[in-house]
C-alpha cells in the first residue's frame, strides 16, 4: 500500500487546504438566514421586518468568506509543494465561494419587490430551499475527508469518494425539487411579474446546490489517480 507523506506539516505551519474548511464554514453559516428569510417572507405575506436584517447577515458572512478566499489565494507561499494541481485548487476556492453568492442572488429576488407567495407554492419553495441547503451541508464531510486524505491523516479513499457521491446524489434531489416547483409556477395563473420573480428565486437556489456539486467534483479531481 502506498502512503502519502504529510508534506504540509514539514514545509508550512498552515496548509492552504485547511483554510478551505474555514472558508466553507462561513458559506455554511449563511444557509441558516436564507432558510429563515423564506419562512418569514411567506408567513408575512411578503412583509417581513426581519428579512432585511437576515439579508444583511448573509451579506456579512459572504464578505467574511470573500476575505478568507482572498487570503488563501494571495498568501499561497511561492514554491510551496502542493499535492493537488494549483489550477484545481484555485477553481475550487472560486466554486465554493459562488455557493453563497447564489444565495445572495436568491434573497435579492425576493427583496426586489413585495409579493404574496400563493399557498400552493409555499411548501414547494420551502422544500427546494431545504434540499439546496442540505447539499451545501454535505460538502463539509466531503471536504474534510479530502483534506485529511491529502494530508495523510487517513487513507480511506473509498470513504472519501462516497462522501463526494453523497453531495452529487443530494444535488439530484434539489434538481427534482426545482423542476417540480418551476413547472407548477409556469402553469399558474399568476401575473407575469410574480412568475418571473419566483422562477429566478428558484433558479438561484438551485444554483447554490449546483455550485456545491461543482465543488464536490473538484474534490474528486484532487484525489484522482
Amino acid at each position: 500500500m502506498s502512503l502519502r507523506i504529510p508534506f504540509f506539516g514539514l514545509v508550512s505551519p498552515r496548509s492552504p487546504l485547511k483554510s478551505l474548511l474555514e472558508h466553507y464554514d462561513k458559506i455554511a453559516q449563511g444557509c441558516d438566514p436564507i432558510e429563515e428569510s423564506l419562512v418569514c417572507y411567506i408567513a408575512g405575506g411578503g412583509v417581513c421586518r426581519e428579512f432585511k436584517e437576515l439579508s444583511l447577515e448573509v451579506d456579512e458572512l459572504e464578505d467574511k468568506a470573500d476575505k478568507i478566499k482572498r487570503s488563501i489565494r494571495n498568501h499561497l507561499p511561492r514554491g510551496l509543494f502542493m499535492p493537488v494541481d494549483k489550477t484545481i485548487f484555485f477553481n475550487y476556492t472560486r466554486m465554493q465561494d459562488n455557493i453563497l453568492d447564489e444565495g445572495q442572488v436568491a434573497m435579492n429576488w425576493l427583496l426586489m419587490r413585495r409579493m404574496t407567495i400563493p399557498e400552493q407554492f409555499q411548501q414547494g419553495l420551502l422544500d427546494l430551499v431545504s434540499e439546496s441547503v442540505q447539499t451545501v451541508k454535505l460538502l463539509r464531510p466531503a471536504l474534510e475527508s479530502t483534506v485529511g486524505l491529502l494530508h495523510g491523516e487517513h487513507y480511506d479513499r473509498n470513504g472519501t469518494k462516497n462522501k463526494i457521491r453523497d453531495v452529487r446524489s443530494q444535488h439530484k434531489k434539489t434538481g427534482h425539487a426545482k423542476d417540480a416547483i418551476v413547472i407548477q409556477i409556469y402553469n399558474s395563473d399568476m401575473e407575469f411579474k410574480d412568475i418571473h420573480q419566483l422562477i429566478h428565486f428558484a433558479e438561484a437556489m438551485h444554483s447554490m446546490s449546483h455550485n456545491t456539486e461543482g465543488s464536490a467534483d473538484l474534490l474528486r479531481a484532487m484525489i484522482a489517480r
Side-chain angles (χ1 to χ4, degrees):
M1 180 177 73
S2 63
L3 300 178
R4 286 176 180 270
I5 300 173
F7 290 97
F8 282 117
L10 299 176
V11 299
S12 174
R14 182 172 179 77
S15 158
L17 288 171
K18 294 280 187 183
S19 297
L20 293 179
L21 287 162
E22 184 183 354
H23 178 253
Y24 167 85
D25 287 340
K26 294 300 175 192
I27 301 292
Q29 288 173 28
C31 290
D32 291 337
I34 290 173
E35 279 192 299
E36 289 177 36
S37 65
L38 180 59
V39 172
C40 178
Y41 195 89
I42 287 174
V47 181
C48 171
R49 284 184 295 181
E50 295 84 8
F51 191 91
K52 186 65 179 177
E53 295 173 13
L54 292 167
S55 179
L56 289 174
E57 189 177 339
V58 174
D59 290 347
E60 288 173 5
L61 286 166
E62 201 282 329
D63 187 53
K64 289 178 181 176
D66 264 349
K67 288 178 181 174
I68 295 171
K69 181 191 72 174
R70 286 195 297 273
S71 176
I72 294 172
R73 297 168 71 107
N74 295 338
H75 297 92
L76 202 62
R78 184 172 296 179
L80 173 68
F81 172 82
M82 293 190 72
V84 300
D85 184 285
K86 284 187 179 179
T87 300
I88 295 175
F89 177 79
F90 284 128
N91 286 341
Y92 182 87
T93 60
R94 187 184 69 253
M95 187 72 72
Q96 184 167 267
D97 201 66
N98 287 344
I99 295 170
L100 197 52
D101 287 346
E102 291 301 326
Q104 284 181 301
V105 171
M107 293 189 74
N108 286 337
W109 274 105
L110 288 185
L111 198 60
M112 199 169 292
R113 62 183 274 273
R114 173 184 169 183
M115 70 165 292
T116 300
I117 299 177
E119 188 175 351
Q120 66 264 37
F121 306 132
Q122 294 175 4
Q123 190 57 54
L125 289 170
L126 289 170
D127 289 344
L128 169 59
V129 172
S130 177
E131 297 288 7
S132 183
V133 167
Q134 183 60 22
T135 310
V136 177
K137 289 183 177 177
L138 286 173
L139 182 61
R140 195 183 206 287
L143 174 60
E144 195 170 24
S145 187
T146 299
V147 172
L149 182 64
L150 292 170
H151 278 269
E153 294 170 357
H154 70 81
Y155 305 103
D156 186 6
R157 180 177 294 273
N158 285 332
T160 302
K161 289 179 182 177
N162 287 335
K163 290 180 174 65
I164 292 170
R165 290 191 191 101
D166 289 344
V167 177
R168 291 175 181 155
S169 297
Q170 179 57 37
H171 175 59
K172 287 181 181 176
K173 294 180 182 177
T174 306
H176 293 323
K178 189 264 292 185
D179 290 344
I181 190 63
V182 165
I183 289 170
Q184 286 182 50
I185 292 171
Y186 264 131
N187 286 285
S188 73
D189 295 325
M190 284 193 298
E191 291 185 8
F192 173 76
K193 285 193 294 186
D194 292 340
I195 292 175
H196 187 77
Q197 191 172 358
L198 287 184
I199 292 296
H200 276 285
F201 171 78
E203 293 287 357
M205 287 308 308
H206 178 257
S207 190
M208 261 186 79
S209 178
H210 181 69
N211 279 282
T212 307
E213 185 203 31
S215 299
D217 285 343
L218 290 170
L219 292 180
R220 182 66 185 83
M222 288 182 189
I223 63 172
R225 282 178 169 168

